[in-house]
Amino acid sequence: MKIMVAIKRVVDYAVKIRVKPDKTGVETQNVKMSMNPFCEIALEEALRIKESGLASEVVAVSMGTAQCVDTLRTGLAMGADRGIHVEATGALYPLSVAKLLKALVEVEKPGLLILGKQAIDDDCNQTGQMVAGLLGWPQGTFASKVVLDKENQVATVDREVDGGLETLSLDLPAVIT
């Protein structure tokens, strides 16, 4: 089974952000960028699944400017088998990212799509749910534990909810955030 992981390039979590003088956004020139921490957790989970022998390949995907290749290199250094960069010069919103991921899923045919639960730059927490809806795949959001049953093609996901933990059983292929 192939696992696809979406990774996003964001301003490093340790950097003190500055608002642009014209108040149109955050200053990103000459600012340290890194992989979104939640995307890093998603990639680590995909690599853990692969190391346990339940997946054959982990493909990291990043979208944006040419500098996103640095984020993909980080993913490859962590252990991803391949990286895919979708170059986009304009602003990428959750729905456009979800549509691009859907197109990539149709080409790559992964058995599992894992995303970080949210990005630290826009705090949206929407892309995973949108791509699951577009694909018609089951989804497990806010996952804290993922267990795959390759024989039965099922993922068991423990997820964080207000009252504690909830356990879901998802038929594969599925989307997990």
Side-chain angles (χ1 to χ4, degrees), residues 48-120:
R48 185 193 65 75
I49 292 168
K50 182 184 174 205
E51 287 170 3
S52 71
L54 296 171
S56 57
E57 184 180 28
V58 174
V59 180
V61 176
S62 191
M63 300 172 193
T65 62
Q67 290 87 353
C68 289
V69 172
D70 293 336
T71 307
L72 281 172
R73 282 192 192 107
T74 301
L76 292 169
M78 289 173 66
D81 298 296
R82 285 190 300 132
I84 299 173
H85 176 225
V86 178
E87 191 159 354
T89 53
L92 287 169
Y93 297 102
L95 183 57
S96 55
V97 172
K99 288 178 179 179
L100 288 167
L101 282 172
K102 178 182 185 275
L104 282 170
V105 163
E106 290 169 350
V107 171
E108 290 288 326
K109 308 238 184 295
L112 190 59
L113 176 61
I114 305 179
L115 299 88
K117 70 174 185 171
Q118 66 195 69
I120 63 170

Side-chain angles (χ1 to χ4, degrees), residues 4-15 31-47 58-63 67-84 114-122:
M4 183 179 285
V5 182
I7 56 176
K8 186 174 184 182
R9 180 177 185 262
V10 297
V11 173
D12 189 86
Y13 69 91
V15 170
V31 173
K32 182 181 179 199
M33 305 294 272
S34 64
M35 185 185 304
N36 180 50
F38 295 113
C39 296
E40 193 170 338
I41 292 167
L43 182 57
E44 287 170 354
E45 182 64 20
L47 294 170
V58 174
V59 180
V61 176
S62 191
M63 300 172 193
Q67 290 87 353
C68 289
V69 172
D70 293 336
T71 307
L72 281 172
R73 282 192 192 107
T74 301
L76 292 169
M78 289 173 66
D81 298 296
R82 285 190 300 132
I84 299 173
I114 305 179
L115 299 88
K117 70 174 185 171
Q118 66 195 69
I120 63 170
D121 57 356
D122 58 16

Side-chain angles (χ1 to χ4, degrees), residues 142 144 158-167:
F142 301 104
S144 59
D158 289 345
R159 62 186 300 262
E160 299 169 9
V161 294
D162 289 339
L165 292 177
E166 175 183 42
T167 302

